């Protein structure tokens, strides 16, 4: 270990959402002088407008700070991470660049679902955990009860837990000292061939791709020729630096350090998160382990309201993809909505954030179709196909087995709400696994249930029945067989592809009736009768009819023989019949939006 790496500490702050990670990071910036009190603003590391508005961290934020402890100056590389379950992949990426973590727990709310999940994630990465109790200055803080919960749920020794307040700045120096004393310095030598892990990146309009790296071995210098091992492409380093907290250029990054490099990379697809950067002239023989590719679990169509903006949307998605490797997209077209993209997300909040970022950064107006998860289908010929779009489901006769993704969902709830949560999960086809009590008043309930039943509104319902005190976390277990069907909507005997959904057979009738009823209220009357039907294969399960517009063709007949009126009525009926055969139903875009919203 070199004398330089001996004085470096790389760590992350992990916690449940709203437990004070970003506020604590702010205090580190203030106490170490990385930011003056005059320049200070709350959530200093949360650079996106969306993060500030929502008060949540969406993307990991690295920062390098310096602190003198026992007369020795230390370089501390901190990565502030998101807390929401949808962004747990960002957490795993930041942990790969660290040797230790601060596990932060709210002194009032205590151990929550994401606290447990993130603690286990840190243990899997063999990181040193520095436990800390935040918000101890709150009037309703209950530190002793929370310490007992931490011991029960995570096996943490209460005497090792530091007490602090990110808001009031209490116990910050002690926490920094604990990081220096407890977290091991990084391994690796500056003399070895260069190996640096790409753990994040963003696109700069003027400089191209900015790559965030953690140097494991060797040194990166300005002017050096580097090679990205995954694609084998070579580039010249134009700039290297660190986030202090703004991007600050430096002469080199050596083993153990965290920073960024710019190498005039203009093509978005050239950089992959998890890739290894090495020297072109003296390359490393083996790449770093990298990351397991995140699998999007929720899919939706994204369509521009104005079809002329299709290419603008493609460009915006390309830029966004670079910053967020867990997001996927592919072009598709729909009869009702025109040309758009099929996009994959980690969860519903992730989908909402992506949509808002696209609309704000690119000024696009977007239509988002109903979300659905990835399914697997075993064909009669033994082939397994992956389905992320209901339109791709083959006809019923070709399907041997229909499989859906199953998750293990953990709910941390007040004891009095256990019955409500059990009913909530049972109604969504959940299978009870176990209940664990953290304390007499709080319990963890574990269920296995279909992901499709989790993504829609389970989180909102959980918050509702527990009055905001319940939290949840889930892990995808795999695929299991289920009695699933594709539900189609037919308007005037034509299938409307954008409204097809995959549902469990038991709920198909109810969903079908709801959809056709909503569509009936949205489509204008035509000169002919329109049938709106919900169907499974060739079987119609629900129908609504929009009656034809009526014109009084006998208005000009004053009295006289009834046969004259009958002749006009029969001529009108024949005309309507002919029109019904050739007429096209105009479904306005607002109808699609209304139906998609009601279905969500």
């Amino acid at each position: 270990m070199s004398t330089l790496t001996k004085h470096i500490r790389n760590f992350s702050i992990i916690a449940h959402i709203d437990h004070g990670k970003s506020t604590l990071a702010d205090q580190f910036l203030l106490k170490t002088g990385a930011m003056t009190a005059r320049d200070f603003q709350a959530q200093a590391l949360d650079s996106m407008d969306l993060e500030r508005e929502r008060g949540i961290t969406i993307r990991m934020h690295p920062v390098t700070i310096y602190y003198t402890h026992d007369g020795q100056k230390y370089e501390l590389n901190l990565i502030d991470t998101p807390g929401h379950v949808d962004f747990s992949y960002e957490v795993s990426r930041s942990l790969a660049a660290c040797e230790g973590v601060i596990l932060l727990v709210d002194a009032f709310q205590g151990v929550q679902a994401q606290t447990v999940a993130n603690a286990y994630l840190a243990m899997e990465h063999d990181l040193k955990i520095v436990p800390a109790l935040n918000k101890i200055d709150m009037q309703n803080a209950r530190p002793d009860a929370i310490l007992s919960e931490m011991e029960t749920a995570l096996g943490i020794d209460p005497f090792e837990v530091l007490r602090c307040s990110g808001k009031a700045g209490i116990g910050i120096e002690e926490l920094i000292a604990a990081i220096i004393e407890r977290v091991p310095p990084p391994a690796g030598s500056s003399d070895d061939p260069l190996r640096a892990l790409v753990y994040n990146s963003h696109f700069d309009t003027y400089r191209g791709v900015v790559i965030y790296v953690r140097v494991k071995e060797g040194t990166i210098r300005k002017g050096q020729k580097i090679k990205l091992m995954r694609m084998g492409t070579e580039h010249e380093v134009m700039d290297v630096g660190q986030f202090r907290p703004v991007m600050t250029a430096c002469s080199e990054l050596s083993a153990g350090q965290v920073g960024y490099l710019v190498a005039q990379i203009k093509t978005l697809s050239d950089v992959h998160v998890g890739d290894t950067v090495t020297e072109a002239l003296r390359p490393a023989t083996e790449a770093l382990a990298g990351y397991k590719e995140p699998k999007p679990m929720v899919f939706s169509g994204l369509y521009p309201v104005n079809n002329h903006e299709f290419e603008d949307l493609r460009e915006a998605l390309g830029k966004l993809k670079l910053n967020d490797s867990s997001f996927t997209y592919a072009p598709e077209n729909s009869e009702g909505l025109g040309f758009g993209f099929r996009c994959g997300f980690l969860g519903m909040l992730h989908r909402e954030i992506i949509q808002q970022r696209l609309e704000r950064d690119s000024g696009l107006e977007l239509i988002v179709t109903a979300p659905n998860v990835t399914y697997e289908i075993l064909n009669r010929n033994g082939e397994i196909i992956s389905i992320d779009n209901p339109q791709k489901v083959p006809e019923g006769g070709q399907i041997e087995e229909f499989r859906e993704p199953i998750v293990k969902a953990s709910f941390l709830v007040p004891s009095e709400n256990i019955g409500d949560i059990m009913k909530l999960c049972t109604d969504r086809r959940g299978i009870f696994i176990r209940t664990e009590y953290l304390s007499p008043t709080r319990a963890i309930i574990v269920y296995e249930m279909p992901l499709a039943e989790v993504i829609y509104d389970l989180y909102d319902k959980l918050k509702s029945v527990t009055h905001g005190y319940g939290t949840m976390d889930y892990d995808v277990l795999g695929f299991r067989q289920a009695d699933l069907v594709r539900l189609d909507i037919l308007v005037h005997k034509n299938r409307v592809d954008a409204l097809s959904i995959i549902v469990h057979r038991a709920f198909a009738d109810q969903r079908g009736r709801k959809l056709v009823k909503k569509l009936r209220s949205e489509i204008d009357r035509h000169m002919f009768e329109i049938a709106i039907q919900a169907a499974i294969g060739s079987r119609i399960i629900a129908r609504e009819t929009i009656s034809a517009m009526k014109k009084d063709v006998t208005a000009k007949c004053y009295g006289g023989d009834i046969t004259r009126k009958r002749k006009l009525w029969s001529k009108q009926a024949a005309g309507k019949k002919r029109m019904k055969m050739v007429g096209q139903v105009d479904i306005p875009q607002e109808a699609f939006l209304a139906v998609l919203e009601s279905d969500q």
Side-chain angles (χ1 to χ4, degrees):
M1 187 189 299
S2 70
T3 50
L4 178 66
T5 56
K6 196 164 72 176
H7 301 129
I8 295 174
R9 299 291 183 273
N10 298 320
F11 69 100
S12 276
I13 305 176
I14 56 172
H16 188 80
I17 193 166
D18 280 342
H19 278 204
K21 294 179 296 300
S22 298
T23 311
L24 185 64
D26 292 345
Q27 284 295 340
F28 284 165
L29 296 179
L30 273 176
K31 296 288 182 191
T32 57
M35 187 174 279
T36 62
R38 195 181 72 174
D39 298 332
F40 177 75
Q41 56 173 336
Q43 284 181 268
L45 294 181
D46 289 347
S47 53
M48 287 165 58
D49 291 341
L50 275 174
E51 293 180 310
R52 297 190 163 284
E53 283 170 27
R54 288 169 170 261
I56 62 171
T57 302
I58 295 166
R59 280 174 43 204
M60 61 169 82
H61 296 277
V63 63
T64 301
I65 52 182
Y66 294 92
Y67 187 76
T68 304
H69 177 67
D70 289 344
Q72 179 61 55
K73 191 177 181 183
Y74 287 87
E75 180 182 304
L76 309 177
N77 293 304
L78 153 68
I79 301 174
D80 182 24
T81 57
H84 195 280
V85 61
D86 278 15
F87 303 115
S88 54
Y89 173 68
E90 291 267 331
V91 179
S92 72
R93 273 176 25 198
S94 64
L95 295 189
C98 299
E99 278 77 41
V101 296
I102 295 175
L103 180 65
L104 204 61
V105 179
D106 187 305
F108 170 64
Q109 292 184 6
V111 175
Q112 299 289 331
Q114 275 299 106
T115 316
V116 178
N118 285 337
Y120 284 134
L121 206 56
M123 290 171 194
E124 282 170 26
H125 283 78
D126 291 326
L127 302 181
K128 177 65 183 174
I129 295 174
V130 179
L133 206 56
N134 194 22
K135 307 185 186 179
I136 55 160
D137 56 325
M138 286 174 67
Q139 281 188 344
N140 52 3
R142 41 193 192 99
D144 295 335
I146 305 306
L147 288 173
S148 172
E149 283 184 11
M150 290 171 77
E151 188 175 17
T152 306
L154 305 167
I156 287 170
D157 183 349
F159 295 104
E160 285 189 4
V161 181
L162 292 139
R163 301 183 183 208
C164 63
S165 167
K167 199 164 189 178
I170 300 166
I172 306 300
E173 284 95 343
E174 290 82 354
L175 197 49
I176 297 173
I179 291 159
I180 291 168
E181 288 160 12
R182 298 188 201 178
V183 175
S189 167
S190 302
D191 303 324
D192 290 340
L194 172 64
R195 287 204 304 172
L197 176 71
V198 177
Y199 70 90
N200 202 3
S201 56
H202 80 261
F203 187 81
D204 186 295
T205 313
Y206 303 104
R207 305 167 84 186
V209 182
V210 179
I211 304 171
Y212 297 31
V213 289
R214 154 69 203 271
V215 184
K216 296 281 188 179
E217 289 136 20
T219 307
I220 298 175
R221 295 182 186 87
K222 193 173 176 178
Q224 189 180 35
K225 202 85 182 278
I226 57 161
K227 180 180 180 180
L228 295 171
M229 293 183 81
R230 180 166 170 179
M231 301 291 284
T233 53
E234 294 185 6
H235 310 272
E236 185 183 338
V237 177
M238 307 306 292
D239 194 14
V240 292
Q242 291 180 311
F243 299 92
R244 299 182 185 170
V246 294
M247 289 170 70
T248 309
C250 60
S251 57
E252 63 179 38
L253 290 175
S254 55
Q257 289 189 297
V258 177
Y260 68 87
L261 68 91
V262 178
Q264 283 195 328
I265 302 172
K266 300 294 180 191
T267 313
L268 304 175
S269 55
D270 276 0
V271 178
H272 298 273
V273 170
D275 201 353
T276 302
V277 176
T278 190
E279 198 173 351
L281 300 174
R282 191 171 67 127
T285 50
E286 203 176 314
L288 295 165
Y291 302 108
K292 195 170 132 189
E293 282 289 315
K295 281 192 176 174
M297 295 312 297
V298 177
F299 287 84
S300 281
L302 275 182
Y303 294 85
V305 169
N306 182 348
N307 277 325
H308 300 304
E309 293 179 339
F310 176 74
E311 284 305 323
D312 296 339
L313 177 58
R314 187 198 292 275
E315 192 181 325
L317 289 170
K319 286 183 180 174
L320 200 60
K321 167 73 179 165
L322 178 70
N323 289 347
D324 190 347
S325 61
S326 55
F327 162 67
T328 64
Y329 68 96
E332 70 169 4
N333 72 309
S334 152
E335 285 175 25
L337 301 171
F339 290 97
F341 293 89
R342 192 81 190 157
C343 302
F345 311 93
L346 296 175
M348 294 296 275
L349 178 65
H350 189 209
R351 184 183 87 139
E352 200 181 315
I353 295 294
I354 292 281
Q355 183 188 349
Q356 288 188 349
R357 282 178 71 183
L358 284 169
E359 288 178 340
R360 285 188 182 203
D361 299 349
S362 312
L364 297 168
E365 256 192 282
L366 299 172
I367 295 171
V368 186
T369 65
N372 63 275
V373 300
T374 313
Y375 296 90
E376 273 185 1
I377 287 178
L378 175 65
N379 277 346
R380 296 259 187 226
N381 59 11
E383 181 195 4
I384 294 177
I385 54 172
S386 187
I387 301 288
D388 59 24
N389 188 337
Q391 296 167 40
K392 294 180 185 172
V393 176
E395 294 305 316
Q398 299 172 34
I399 300 172
E400 181 70 39
E401 203 172 271
F402 213 139
R403 300 168 184 165
E404 65 181 343
I406 301 293
V407 298
K408 184 173 83 174
S410 305
F411 302 91
L412 213 154
V413 297
S415 303
E416 64 264 25
N417 298 123
I418 289 175
D420 300 321
I421 298 302
M422 286 182 156
K423 184 178 186 315
L424 209 59
C425 294
T426 308
D427 291 347
R428 284 162 170 71
R429 300 186 282 130
I431 300 165
F432 175 74
I433 304 298
R434 67 176 185 274
T435 302
E436 292 173 22
Y437 281 88
L438 284 183
S439 69
T441 56
R442 301 175 75 225
I444 295 175
I445 305 168
V446 182
Y447 267 83
E448 284 183 9
M449 57 203 303
L451 178 61
E453 302 289 345
V454 172
I455 64 165
Y456 287 103
D457 62 351
L458 184 63
Y459 189 71
D460 295 336
K461 289 276 196 293
L462 166 72
K463 287 292 181 190
S464 176
V465 299
T466 61
H467 308 290
Y469 289 108
T471 58
M472 69 175 276
D473 177 58
Y474 61 82
D475 289 312
V476 179
L477 299 175
F479 289 86
R480 281 186 203 156
Q481 184 186 359
D483 189 10
L484 301 168
V485 291
R486 185 182 75 194
L487 178 67
D488 293 321
I489 300 298
L490 289 84
V491 176
H492 201 51
K493 295 185 181 173
N494 295 319
R495 195 175 97 191
V496 183
D497 55 3
L499 298 180
S500 294
I501 52 172
I502 297 169
V503 291
H504 193 272
R505 197 182 294 275
F507 304 127
D509 288 22
Q510 178 190 337
R511 291 286 285 280
R513 278 196 296 273
K514 183 180 165 191
L515 280 171
V516 295
K517 213 167 200 171
K518 185 70 184 171
L519 204 54
R520 179 178 182 248
S521 64
E522 293 296 332
I523 296 177
D524 294 329
R525 288 169 72 185
H526 287 53
M527 294 302 292
F528 50 90
E529 185 181 277
I530 302 168
I532 304 170
Q533 299 163 311
I536 298 170
S538 58
R539 186 170 71 87
I540 305 298
I541 58 168
R543 172 179 170 135
E544 289 282 337
T545 305
I546 300 173
S547 57
M549 282 182 179
K550 286 185 179 162
K551 181 184 175 186
D552 190 358
V553 288
T554 60
K556 60 189 175 192
C557 299
Y558 297 100
D561 192 355
I562 190 68
T563 55
R564 170 73 180 141
K565 289 186 178 180
R566 281 182 184 148
K567 189 176 177 183
L568 289 168
W569 285 331
S570 119
K571 195 175 175 184
Q572 184 188 35
K576 280 192 185 291
K577 190 175 179 184
R578 191 166 61 252
M579 192 181 283
K580 190 174 179 178
M581 289 164 70
V582 298
Q584 289 292 311
V585 178
D586 178 35
I587 306 175
Q589 212 165 52
E590 291 75 21
F592 283 98
L593 286 172
V595 173
L596 294 172
E597 279 168 17
S598 72
D599 192 42
Q600 285 170 41

